[in-house]
Amino acid sequence: MIARIAKHLSFSNVVACLALFIALGGSVYAAGQISGKQIKKNSLPGNRIKPKTVPSNRIKPNSLSGKQINETTLTGISAAALAEVQYEAVTADLPWGTPSTLTANCPSGSYAIGGGATLSDDQGYVVDDGPSSLRTGWTATAYSYASRGVAVTVTAVCVVVQKPGGAVNSVNLPAPPVQYEPFG
């Protein structure tokens, strides 16, 4: 039996086996000796990091997208975080045959996050509507093809914008201009 093994033992086979054992032993040794401080920044791809091993203070702000966030774990976030929601509405009679524009302005310090426009009857239509140029109100243009009796109501959904931590966003915008168009 020893003769059979000795027949296959050549210098190159012995050196190859020795190299294999050293290589395997070296990588095991290296794995036990490398610390996080020895790893270069940005050198590990995300698929090489175990799940739930990176603490939140090690994540770059604004670097996560919706795919990485489990919405069911979000707590303390609600519409109440938008401060107080207010609805501001204005109504005016539409003149016959002339498109007219009307703006529902938000209270000072608040901004429009939505709105809309409605007519009192079907003898006209809303041409377009959307936030005012400074987003401090909701503007609509409407048209009446009836000689009288058609009114338009424009509504703005307004909120005070808050920064994280509860501070009110102090944006120095000029007061919105009062818009008077040919209404009644």
Side-chain angles (χ1 to χ4, degrees):
M1 173 99 151
I2 293 180
R4 201 186 289 176
I5 292 174
K7 186 166 67 166
H8 294 290
L9 284 178
S10 66
F11 177 76
S12 58
N13 282 346
V14 171
V15 170
C17 286
L18 236 139
L20 177 65
F21 288 122
I22 290 172
L24 290 175
S27 63
V28 170
Y29 173 78
Q33 298 299 314
I34 295 176
S35 71
K37 292 179 181 179
Q38 295 168 317
I39 298 173
K40 288 169 111 180
K41 287 187 177 185
N42 303 320
S43 66
L44 288 177
N47 64 357
R48 296 291 185 208
I49 300 172
K50 289 182 181 178
K52 301 179 182 180
T53 59
V54 179
S56 61
N57 64 351
R58 303 298 297 162
I59 297 173
K60 183 178 176 184
N62 302 318
S63 65
L64 298 177
S65 71
K67 290 181 180 180
Q68 290 92 16
I69 297 172
N70 179 357
E71 291 96 9
T72 61
T73 63
L74 299 176
T75 59
I77 299 172
S78 66
L82 294 174
E84 185 179 329
V85 177
Q86 294 179 309
Y87 297 89
E88 298 294 327
V90 293
T91 301
D93 290 328
L94 289 173
W96 174 77
T98 305
S100 299
T101 302
L102 182 65
T103 299
N105 289 313
C106 294
S108 179
S110 61
Y111 298 90
I113 60 167
T118 58
L119 297 178
S120 60
D121 71 24
D122 61 356
Q123 297 296 307
Y125 55 91
V126 176
V127 177
D128 66 1
D129 72 305
S132 61
S133 61
L134 298 176
R135 301 205 181 281
T136 55
W138 201 262
T139 301
T141 301
Y143 179 84
S144 171
Y145 43 83
S147 59
R148 61 189 158 118
V150 178
V152 62
T153 300
V154 179
T155 304
V157 180
C158 308
V159 297
V160 174
V161 179
Q162 291 190 354
K163 292 180 181 178
V168 174
N169 190 5
S170 58
V171 178
N172 296 323
L173 295 175
V178 178
Q179 295 183 358
Y180 293 104
E181 296 284 334
F183 283 97

